[in-house]
Amino acid sequence: MVKKRIGIYLGLSSVGAVALEGKKIVAASRYDLASVEEEARVENLSEEIRWQALINKILREIGSEEKDIFVSLADKDFIFRSLEMPMMAKKNIGPSLVYEIEKYIPFKISELMWDYGYITYPKEKKLNVSFVGIKEDNIYKVQEMFAHLNLNPLIIEPSSLSLIKTLQSAKKFSQTKNFAILDISPNEVYLTFFYQNLPVFNQYLAIPKKGDSFDVDKFVESVRFSFQYFKREFRFYELEKFIAITSSSGDNIATLLQEELQMNIETVSPYDIVNVPNIESETLKAFGAANLESPYKFKPQLKKTEEYVEEQVVSGEEPLRWGLFAILIGAGLIGLVGLAIFFGNEISVMEYKFENADKAVERPEPLKDLSWGKIDTMLQEKEGKLAKLKDLSSVPHISATLDELASLRSKGLWFESLEIDYRDKKYSISLTGYVFLGDAYNERSAVDKFVANIKNDELIKTNFSDIGVVSLERRAIGDYTVTYFLIRLE
């Protein structure tokens, strides 16, 4: 009898599971956490017990008695980063990454579990490295929950990698290397960009509502904001495909996104990828976790930092050979001294001419210590601000509105930037900032409270009728993790 492989996806408020025999899905199911809500209220069950009850329920439904499982986790708690590093031996990459990763996490490196993939560029003598990490406590909570259910997770991976493992198993997408995946499900949305098949950027997007229904226009706008941010941060990146995966009909979303992003959007359903009836986003991710035959090569094995350092010590290699390094530096310095002597006279003459020309121009006192390039940049910025202020002067109560926004801040909430746009004879405000309260749930509640305060403010309502959260994400600022937000007023 063929042993089944069981894949489980744990989302923010839903669970999906599949049973595989070889490559074939023989059973699949999904449930929302709300499906055990009534039982939880009656018996006063904790959230952890509710999750365990839901997992037991879904495993019974797919007829699983296996103890070994493959787990896909929601991306929201993971950290994705892309780095450029000089060429080095493979055994030195992990230990060298330790010092880089510390810049991007709001906790001690010893608390992180992570892995990385990389691409070599021999001609440029460099590496492109993508690392994926998660706080050790988050992994332990998942492992402990499964231990209580007598289950043993063989793999725990972010859901975006579960999706790409499944996607690249399909012939249609097997050769695509530079692409974006917009993963849309009823409870959560993620946007992930891949470069040379490695994840380089991932963002959780809040699901905007208009009454009880999905607000498509606001959703499309939030995708545009994320897309623009990505293009600023990764200017070298050329996108081959933009793939939207959704269980419902995505034709309307695809059309609006194409207009907004000015590029082709390819919409596919979970059924299009695996050709299995009634499969949904959550079960597709569960399938990806258990899909051991996938050709996708980056399959991270999350480890603690000391394991990477120990691997280098065991190998007997040192991160740098300091003796040889010192000789190379010495030889380089001798060469530089020779060049400096050779070109010294000509450089001195040119510097003298430039200094005299610069002194001949009289500059105001505040600008005396600035370069001409810096002065030119400052003038352009001032002209842009003056133009915006001129436009804003026609908006009634705008100054009072901005003061009101500041006064309505909830506890722990700070502003970062405010942009005012004018389109179709209407003004809108994009407000970014972050909340720090030491707890993700309380921070999200603080954002909700702030938005509620804005919506109920009579002055703000005179200019803006549509107010809501575009995106929320956990982000590192210095040594702390905060909840970063983007709020739109229209």
Side-chain angles (χ1 to χ4, degrees), residues 325-338:
F325 190 52
I327 292 171
L328 291 172
I329 289 176
L333 286 173
I334 292 170
L336 288 173
V337 170

Side-chain angles (χ1 to χ4, degrees), residues 225-385:
F225 281 133
S226 296
F227 187 66
Q228 289 175 340
Y229 172 81
F230 174 80
K231 287 202 298 184
R232 288 196 302 269
E233 294 295 314
F234 297 85
R235 292 182 178 88
F236 63 90
Y237 184 91
E238 292 185 12
L239 202 64
E240 296 174 20
K241 283 183 182 290
F242 195 110
I243 305 164
I245 301 176
T246 175
S247 299
S248 59
S249 175
D251 293 342
N252 186 33
I253 292 175
T255 301
L256 292 173
L257 280 174
Q258 284 176 173
E259 295 173 357
E260 197 75 24
L261 305 183
Q262 294 297 298
M263 69 176 303
N264 183 52
I265 307 297
E266 187 165 353
T267 305
V268 296
S269 69
Y271 174 81
D272 295 330
I273 298 171
V274 295
N275 199 29
V276 175
N278 302 319
I279 195 165
E280 301 181 60
S281 177
E282 290 89 346
T283 44
L284 189 68
K285 296 169 193 174
F287 171 63
N291 184 11
L292 304 183
E293 291 82 11
S294 170
Y296 184 65
K297 293 182 179 178
F298 180 43
K299 299 171 182 177
Q301 301 291 319
L302 301 172
K303 298 186 291 189
K304 297 199 66 176
T305 299
E306 53 260 33
E307 295 183 53
Y308 292 101
V309 178
E310 287 169 5
E311 284 175 5
Q312 190 180 44
V313 172
V314 170
S315 73
E317 292 190 16
E318 298 176 7
L320 289 171
R321 292 181 178 142
W322 293 105
L324 177 60
F325 190 52
I327 292 171
L328 291 172
I329 289 176
L333 286 173
I334 292 170
L336 288 173
V337 170
L339 287 172
I341 294 171
F342 184 77
F343 291 111
N345 289 336
E346 291 188 24
I347 293 171
S348 297
V349 171
M350 294 301 293
E351 285 179 345
Y352 178 75
K353 289 180 178 179
F354 278 119
E355 285 175 7
N356 284 342
D358 191 28
K359 288 175 182 176
V361 180
E362 292 187 9
R363 289 189 276 178
E365 188 65 33
L367 305 180
K368 280 188 175 180
D369 296 329
L370 300 179
S371 67
W372 288 107
K374 182 65 174 177
I375 292 171
D376 185 54
T377 301
M378 288 176 60
L379 286 172
Q380 291 180 20
E381 290 176 353
K382 294 292 184 184
E383 288 172 356
K385 289 180 180 179

Side-chain angles (χ1 to χ4, degrees), residues 57-74:
K57 179 178 180 179
I58 205 167
L59 290 178
R60 284 196 303 271
E61 184 159 313
I62 65 172
S64 169
E65 296 180 357
E66 304 293 339
K67 299 305 178 186
D68 291 335
I69 58 173
F70 302 84
V71 179
S72 175
L73 288 184

Side-chain angles (χ1 to χ4, degrees), residues 409-415 434-437 443 446 482-483 485:
R409 287 185 303 120
S410 47
K411 181 181 177 182
L413 188 143
W414 300 88
F415 297 149
Y434 58 88
V435 186
F436 175 66
L437 294 171
E443 289 169 3
V482 302
T483 296
F485 62 81

Side-chain angles (χ1 to χ4, degrees), residues 46 61 93 103 116 147 160 167 177 192 253 307 310 314 341 346 349 357 363 400-401 410 442 446 462 480:
S46 68
E61 184 159 313
I93 298 175
K103 301 174 186 177
Y116 64 92
S160 56
L167 194 68
K177 293 184 177 180
T192 310
I253 292 175
E307 295 183 53
E310 287 169 5
V314 170
I341 294 171
E346 291 188 24
V349 171
R363 289 189 276 178
T401 296
S410 47
N442 290 332
T462 61
Y480 303 95

Side-chain angles (χ1 to χ4, degrees), residues 472-489:
L472 280 175
E473 64 171 311
R474 298 285 282 165
R475 185 179 292 186
I477 296 182
D479 294 332
Y480 303 95
T481 299
V482 302
T483 296
Y484 190 85
F485 62 81
L486 170 60
I487 294 170
R488 187 83 168 167
L489 294 83

